[in-house]
Amino acid sequence: MALMKSGWLWRQSSILRRWKKNWFDLWLDGSLVYYQDENRRQLEDRIHLKINCINVKAGYECIDGLPPEGSSRECMLVIYLRDGSKLALCADSADDALAWKLAFLETKSNLVSVYDPADDHYQTVAPDAFNTIYINPRNCGHRCSGSRMTHVWVHQDPCYSTGEQIALGMLAGAVTGTVLRTLMWLPCWF
């Protein structure tokens, strides 16, 4: 997937209502992903705008809440979500807030499609395209001996990392082994 817009935004936390600066990536398929910093190592959350976003307001349209200290209301953005919650954001300038709003609305409304040069057509990608498999049998213009070739496209989440899952699995295995070893030798102590 292509990256539409990326940069720093202030985000208001949902519980304590404190402002925190996060690195945001807006993907062409409508995924808004934010991290602790620009290294993109620690994912904080992901919102699928095509599925969950109802409305986006910017600047003086945002009547709820106050911007972070040192910023004006012109720099604010509010994304209203389908579950009734909202994501309050603040850009560094009014122009940047407007650019983010336009990017949000564009990704929300555009269909994403993948071009297949073998068949010379576009295939529409689902709103939640990550971990989706597309199978398309065809001969790709080659003369095959009776069998048709099958092409498989696998779209994976760019933020998905198996390293964390492997580390957690190893930790769980070590803890389980220690507990079992302790339980096996426990009768010897009595």
Side-chain angles (χ1 to χ4, degrees):
M1 277 299 124
L3 189 62
M4 288 271 306
K5 188 158 178 57
S6 181
W8 290 103
L9 288 173
W10 288 94
R11 177 184 60 88
Q12 190 175 35
S13 66
S14 58
I15 298 172
L16 297 176
R17 300 286 182 215
R18 292 185 181 164
W19 287 97
K20 180 180 177 186
K21 204 161 194 177
N22 291 108
W23 182 265
F24 282 79
D25 286 338
L26 178 62
W27 294 90
L28 184 62
D29 71 342
S31 292
L32 177 64
V33 185
Y34 52 96
Y35 308 89
Q36 282 190 351
D37 58 19
E38 70 272 10
N39 295 329
R40 299 177 177 98
R41 288 194 185 119
Q42 194 162 6
L43 174 72
E44 293 224 0
D45 200 4
R46 163 176 308 175
I47 299 168
H48 294 283
L49 295 179
K50 287 183 186 279
I51 299 169
N52 297 323
C53 178
I54 295 173
N55 194 9
V56 179
K57 292 184 178 182
Y60 290 114
E61 297 174 327
C62 306
I63 56 173
D64 297 335
L66 296 172
E69 190 174 319
S71 295
S72 69
R73 187 169 297 280
E74 292 177 322
C75 303
M76 284 191 65
L77 290 156
V78 178
I79 300 174
Y80 294 91
L81 302 174
R82 191 170 304 282
D83 64 358
S85 64
K86 58 185 173 185
L87 179 64
L89 305 170
C90 188
D92 291 332
S93 68
D95 290 337
D96 198 24
L98 183 60
W100 275 101
K101 177 184 177 179
L102 294 174
F104 292 150
L105 293 175
E106 184 177 349
T107 57
K108 184 178 172 355
S109 64
N110 284 345
L111 288 176
V112 178
S113 47
V114 177
Y115 179 69
D116 183 5
D119 281 347
D120 194 28
H121 78 281
Y122 287 89
Q123 181 176 0
T124 303
V125 177
D128 186 10
F130 298 119
N131 303 320
T132 304
I133 299 174
Y134 298 95
I135 301 175
N136 193 3
R138 64 189 171 281
N139 64 5
C140 298
H142 303 290
R143 294 185 183 240
C144 300
S145 59
S147 66
R148 296 170 59 113
M149 295 175 69
T150 301
H151 291 266
V152 178
W153 290 278
V154 179
H155 293 275
Q156 291 183 340
D157 188 347
C159 304
Y160 181 73
S161 170
T162 57
E164 294 171 354
Q165 292 178 350
I166 291 172
L168 286 175
M170 291 174 63
L171 178 63
V175 169
T176 303
T178 304
V179 169
L180 289 176
R181 196 172 322 118
T182 304
L183 290 175
M184 285 178 51
W185 291 103
L186 190 60
C188 297
W189 295 104
F190 293 110

